[in-house]
Every structure is written in structure tokens, then in C-alpha cells.
Amino acid sequence: MSLLPSDFLDHQEIHPSLREKLERYGDQGGLLGILVYVFTYLESEDEQLAGTAAEIPPLLFVSSSLHDDAIDETALDSAVERAGESSTRLTTRQFLNQHVTIGDLVFTHLIDRLDDLPDGFETGKVASSIRTIGTGQLDEDGFGSSEASKADAVRRLDQRGSVWGDLVATVVGASGSYSDDQLERLTTVSQNLLFVYTIFDDVEDLPEDIENGVANAPVMLLEEGAVDDADSSEAVVDAVLESDVPDQLDALVEAREAEVEAAVRRFHEDGDYSNEAILEATSRALEWYAESVCSRPLEESVSEASQRTIREQLTGDDATKREYIDSIIQDAPLYGVPADEIGREAATLSGRRLAPAITHLVHVQTLAAATMPMHLEDAFSRLREKNAA
């Protein structure tokens, strides 16, 4: 993760398991940065501004996630590294010290990025959004899963997920390039996307959240008394899987997906951006992610042979090109995007210009799928595997 200096990542005292976390959280948080980069560059056409602004959400995400890990380990014995020889294991003190200290150091890099932004960039609004995220984390102890209502579950998802979408829109809007109406559309898109992915995260992390006493939305949606009747975390998971909770979550996802699609359409209509401009912004954002954030080289997830296939598919006849573009977009880690329309518009662009963007998109999809569920059914599949293990 080149967001952080190599001498920082290679510090000999950082445990290998923690270095892996830094990379994984960087990969995940970098997806937020892609959104910031696309919309910042789309209006400003300033590569340096877009790149600097795009680093803000992933740096905060890494810092916040490390602090969360330290807080969530309420049973301190479980915090100790279990794998490897005893000489490589972390003591509880080392575990907590490294997570909190490195989280603090990552946050200082976030401050540096804010200082690097040009005059006129409204950093105060970004700081306010960061405080909102912190306030939501402070409120976490106020959530009790067993006695919560559906409204409580939605409120928690908003405080854990939608606030990150709000940060994305705030960073984009801090450059002053967009109108209030455009920012409202962007906020709707980013908030709801992050709400949806927080649902996926809560489903996949259900066993760990139960063990750590962390409020979890699927548990909140269970009928009153269901948790009290369960005699183990596995039984709670079974109760969730056998209840109407999956249907409730599916309905929440569909509703948020519809809001995203409507906002995307309105933003596109209002902005009147050309297909070429959208491709340029997207290509630069994906390239930024590959070069500045992700933990794996492009060739590891998209081999030379695969890159050659992408070029061949995009420079073939129109039918082959359109079919291939549709297959890629359908798998893209975005909810609510009007895929058919995007595929139709993308097919009008030069295949040679599309190839690098599609190559980087496949790279991002591969990394994202390896670290987090991309769809609700994926999250439940992972949950069932965990519970059966």
C-alpha cells in the first residue's frame, strides 16, 4: 500500500499479521478513494487534486479499522496472535499497542494530505464529516442487539456505513466544483452504496460480532426473545438464517439500490458529461488505485494472457464487444448502477481506449471480492461456511 511510506510498512516491529491487515484495509478503503477521484477529476480535470483528495477516505478507513479491532477485542486473550511459533506471537499488550499506535500514525498521514490540498478546498467540512464518523463509533455502545427494533438496526447501518458515503461526497464537494443539487445526488449515491456494503459486512461478521459483544444489524432484526433462547453463537446464527431476517435485509438492499439508480440518472442528466470525459475520469481513478493503494500488482490478478483477452474482446466486432462489456459491468462491485445503459454507452467508445480501464476494473473487482462480499447472497454464503466450520 503505497499510501504509506515503505519505511513505515517495513518497520521491523510491525507484526506480519498486522502488516496484512494494513494491506487489506487499504484495499477496502481504496474503493472509497476511487469514487472521490472519479467525481473530483470529472469536474476539475486536476489529476493532483483528485489524487490527494482520494487518499483521505482510505487513510481514515485504515486508521479507524485498526482502532476498532483493538476496541472489539474485549476478551483480551483472544487478541493474542494464535498462529505460528510461540516466538512470533504477540502479547496482548503488543497487540493493542501496535493497533492503536499504527492507527494514530496513519491518521497523521491523513492530516498531511489535508495540508497538501490547495487554498479554497474546504477542509473544515471534511473535518466535520470525520467527527461525525467518530461520534457514531462512540454511540456504538448504545446499541443493544437483543432489545433493538428495526429502526435501531437501520440507524446503526447508517452510522456505520452511510457516514462513510457522506465523507466521500463531502470530500468531493469541498473542492467547490459542484452545485448543491449535484452534491445531493452524489451524497445519495455514496451513502446508499456504503449502507448496502455495511449490510454485507454485518452478515459476514455475525459470528465474530456475537463473540465480541458488538451490536449487529441481523441480530437486531430477529424477533424479540430469539437471542435469549439461543445457547451459543452458532445457535444465534442459525436463528438468523432460519428467520425472515434474510428477506428483510434483501428488501433493504433493493430499496437502497433503487435510490442509487435514480440518483445516478439525475446526476448524469444534470451534468451532461460526455462518455469520453466519464471514461477518462474512471480510467485515471482505477489507475490511481492500482498504483497508489492496492496491495497486489496488476499482473497477479489480471495475467498477461487475461489482458490480451480483454484487448481482443474489446477490439472485435460490435456484438462481441458489447457482450463482453455487459459481462464485466454486471460483476462490478456497485449496486444500483443502471448497467444496461452504461454498457450501451461504453460500447460506443474506442476499444483501445476502453481496454486499460476494463483491465484495471477487473483488477479492482478481483481484489474486492477477495476481501469482502460483493452481494448479499455472497455474504450469507460466507456466513454459512463459517457456522458450519
Side-chain angles (χ1 to χ4, degrees):
M1 185 175 76
S2 58
L3 281 176
L4 299 175
S6 59
D7 59 345
F8 176 88
L9 289 175
D10 295 338
H11 194 286
Q12 62 181 0
E13 295 301 324
I14 298 180
H15 194 271
S17 64
L18 184 50
R19 191 171 290 111
E20 291 175 3
K21 276 189 178 183
L22 283 166
E23 293 178 347
R24 183 171 73 255
Y25 290 149
D27 290 344
Q28 293 175 338
L31 300 177
L32 303 175
I34 289 176
L35 291 174
V36 170
Y37 195 113
V38 167
F39 292 116
T40 301
Y41 186 86
L42 185 61
E43 189 67 18
S44 69
E45 296 185 352
D46 186 329
E47 185 176 0
Q48 183 174 354
L49 173 62
T52 303
E55 292 187 11
I56 295 172
L59 285 171
L60 182 61
F61 183 83
V62 172
S63 176
S64 176
S65 296
L66 291 176
H67 288 157
D68 280 351
D69 287 346
I71 293 168
D72 288 347
E73 291 291 354
T74 53
L76 292 182
D77 287 343
S78 70
V80 179
E81 179 67 28
R82 303 174 185 85
E85 300 296 329
S86 59
S87 61
T88 67
R89 292 177 182 171
L90 287 172
T91 65
T92 299
R93 178 186 177 89
Q94 289 171 326
F95 176 93
L96 296 176
N97 178 56
Q98 289 200 11
H99 278 69
V100 173
T101 302
I102 294 174
D104 289 345
L105 291 173
V106 172
F107 191 81
T108 66
H109 287 281
L110 166 60
I111 302 302
D112 289 340
R113 294 303 174 269
L114 288 172
D115 286 342
D116 289 339
L117 289 165
D119 293 339
F121 193 95
E122 299 181 86
T123 55
K125 290 184 177 181
V126 178
S128 177
S129 185
I130 292 172
R131 283 194 292 272
T132 299
I133 291 174
T135 301
Q137 291 171 332
L138 284 174
D139 289 344
E140 187 124 329
D141 289 339
F143 287 102
S145 293
S146 60
E147 67 275 7
S149 65
K150 181 175 180 178
D152 291 328
V154 172
R155 183 164 62 91
R156 180 175 185 273
L157 289 167
D158 275 323
Q159 287 197 343
R160 289 187 57 244
S162 298
V163 290
W164 287 94
D166 185 65
L167 175 65
V168 167
T170 299
V171 174
V172 172
S175 65
S177 299
Y178 286 102
S179 70
D180 290 344
D181 285 343
Q182 288 175 308
L183 283 176
E184 182 181 352
R185 314 283 191 250
L186 289 179
T187 301
T188 298
V189 170
S190 56
Q191 282 183 342
N192 285 292
L193 283 176
L194 271 296
F195 181 97
V196 166
Y197 279 105
T198 303
I199 288 178
F200 302 164
D201 185 62
D202 266 16
V203 170
E204 184 185 23
D205 291 346
L206 179 56
E208 293 85 356
D209 285 350
I210 294 170
E211 292 292 335
N212 290 326
V214 177
N216 182 286
V219 177
M220 290 180 173
L221 294 173
L222 278 173
E223 291 185 4
E224 186 176 354
V227 175
D228 296 334
D229 294 339
D231 56 6
S232 65
S233 60
E234 290 82 7
V236 175
V237 173
D238 286 338
V240 168
L241 293 172
E242 294 167 4
S243 69
D244 67 345
V245 169
D247 291 336
Q248 291 187 61
L249 292 176
D250 188 55
L252 283 174
V253 169
E254 286 188 4
R256 297 298 177 121
E257 181 179 5
E259 290 191 38
V260 171
E261 181 170 351
V264 168
R265 291 180 188 279
R266 290 197 298 269
F267 178 84
H268 189 262
E269 292 168 359
D270 295 344
D272 194 28
Y273 301 104
S274 69
N275 292 337
E276 288 77 10
I278 295 172
L279 173 61
E280 178 73 8
T282 303
S283 295
R284 287 179 179 271
L286 293 170
E287 185 176 356
W288 165 83
Y289 179 88
E291 295 180 353
S292 300
V293 180
C294 69
S295 60
R296 289 169 52 184
L298 175 69
E299 294 74 16
E300 282 191 19
S301 52
V302 192
S303 66
E304 288 291 344
S306 296
Q307 292 182 44
R308 187 165 53 251
T309 297
I310 290 172
R311 290 192 295 270
E312 291 172 352
Q313 293 290 317
L314 292 174
T315 55
D317 60 77
D318 289 345
T320 299
K321 178 181 177 183
R322 176 63 196 276
E323 182 178 356
Y324 184 70
I325 290 172
D326 286 345
S327 69
I328 295 296
I329 292 176
Q330 291 292 343
D331 291 334
L334 292 173
Y335 258 77
V337 173
D340 289 343
E341 294 179 29
I342 290 178
R344 183 175 65 250
E345 297 296 329
T348 66
L349 298 166
S350 162
R352 294 188 183 280
R353 288 199 63 202
L354 275 173
I358 295 295
T359 299
H360 282 106
L361 180 59
V362 172
H363 179 47
V364 171
Q365 289 175 232
T366 302
L367 283 173
T371 60
M372 56 192 283
M374 294 290 97
H375 303 282
L376 185 59
E377 55 266 31
D378 295 337
F380 274 111
S381 177
R382 296 189 187 196
L383 176 62
R384 291 187 180 91
E385 289 177 5
K386 283 184 180 181
N387 212 41

